[in-house]
Amino acid sequence: MNSPLSYCTIDTLGETLTEIFSSERVNIEEVQTVMENYKSSALDWKKYAHFDPHRYTRNLANEGNGRFNLIVLCWGEGMGSTIHSHSDSHCFMKVLDGSLRETLYQWPSESEKTKMNVIGTTDYTLDQVAYINDTKGIHRIENVSHSERAVSLHLYSPPIQTCRSFDERTSHSITCKTTFWSKFGERTPFSIPAENN
């Protein structure tokens, strides 16, 4: 395969990743290099970058070939995720704008309900790439700035349908369905589930 170009768009990044993910085996180092070689340009990703004043947003940019997807996450000032797992998926995160903090936690004991243990904390800035899967632990992502927004590009393989979300104080977890604020630049319809009669 040819070396990825440093000026590729999200569309050409998706094409390169589709080629990589046509194989059953995922080469983490190769995917990491491809993600690093995509250089952030707001002119490219801004059509996917939709902010919400109350929560961070997940915006689907590319569905891949069914073996991965690319999602643009938009983080308002001071916003963060829950502590969460990745449902046995590979997860790559690239900072497109601003900076983000990752706090990595040990998996809690199933038998004990205690405060969760922090393994470490890392701050990521423009164009840096992080990688996690469930064997490394579980994490929380936060925009710790109270004056600047942040944007990140996430690759999940295989695409995540659900994940476990954890309470830091008790390590209690619930299973959550993953949703998108928008798909391909268009707002997804908001619907309220019908009540059973």
Side-chain angles (χ1 to χ4, degrees):
M1 192 182 88
N2 293 332
S3 173
L5 301 175
S6 63
Y7 52 85
C8 68
T9 65
I10 285 181
D11 290 338
T12 56
L13 173 64
E15 291 168 8
T16 301
L17 291 167
T18 296
E19 184 180 335
I20 291 171
F21 285 100
S22 63
S23 167
E24 290 292 327
R25 184 174 169 85
V26 176
N27 183 323
I28 293 168
E29 292 77 17
E30 182 180 21
V31 176
Q32 176 98 13
T33 298
V34 169
M35 291 291 284
E36 287 171 351
N37 278 285
Y38 168 70
K39 298 303 178 189
S40 177
S41 167
L43 290 175
D44 178 42
W45 52 255
K46 70 178 181 179
K47 63 185 171 187
Y48 305 112
H50 299 282
F51 286 84
D52 184 294
H54 307 293
R55 61 190 176 103
Y56 75 93
T57 64
R58 302 174 76 253
N59 305 281
L60 182 65
N62 190 310
E63 285 184 306
N65 55 1
R67 295 186 177 171
F68 76 94
N69 59 21
L70 287 172
I71 304 168
V72 174
L73 273 67
C74 296
W75 312 82
E77 299 88 337
M79 290 183 181
S81 73
T82 63
I83 301 168
H84 61 278
S85 68
H86 294 87
S87 302
D88 295 320
S89 289
H90 299 280
C91 173
F92 298 83
M93 177 188 80
K94 181 183 183 77
V95 177
L96 300 182
D97 192 34
S99 61
L100 291 167
R101 175 169 294 167
E102 176 189 45
T103 305
L104 188 65
Y105 296 83
Q106 282 182 331
W107 277 93
S109 164
E110 293 291 339
S111 59
E112 293 182 54
K113 297 300 178 190
T114 58
K115 182 174 170 62
M116 297 184 66
N117 293 324
V118 174
I119 297 172
T121 301
T122 307
D123 291 327
Y124 293 94
T125 58
L126 183 65
D127 282 327
Q128 289 186 308
V129 177
Y131 170 77
I132 189 171
N133 65 31
D134 285 342
T135 65
K136 293 181 172 287
I138 51 184
H139 73 179
R140 168 190 286 149
I141 301 296
E142 299 171 275
N143 175 13
V144 296
S145 173
H146 292 285
S147 59
E148 301 290 335
R149 301 194 300 185
V151 180
S152 53
L153 179 65
H154 296 240
L155 182 155
Y156 299 99
S157 176
I160 295 177
Q161 307 298 322
T162 63
C163 69
R164 287 173 64 190
S165 177
F166 296 82
D167 184 305
E168 184 174 14
R169 299 161 301 168
T170 66
S171 72
H172 174 74
S173 71
I174 59 171
T175 299
C176 302
K177 182 180 179 183
T178 58
T179 59
F180 298 113
W181 197 96
S182 71
K183 291 184 176 182
F184 318 115
E186 299 294 327
R187 180 70 164 108
T188 52
F190 177 78
S191 61
I192 299 173
E195 291 185 26
N196 295 330
N197 292 329

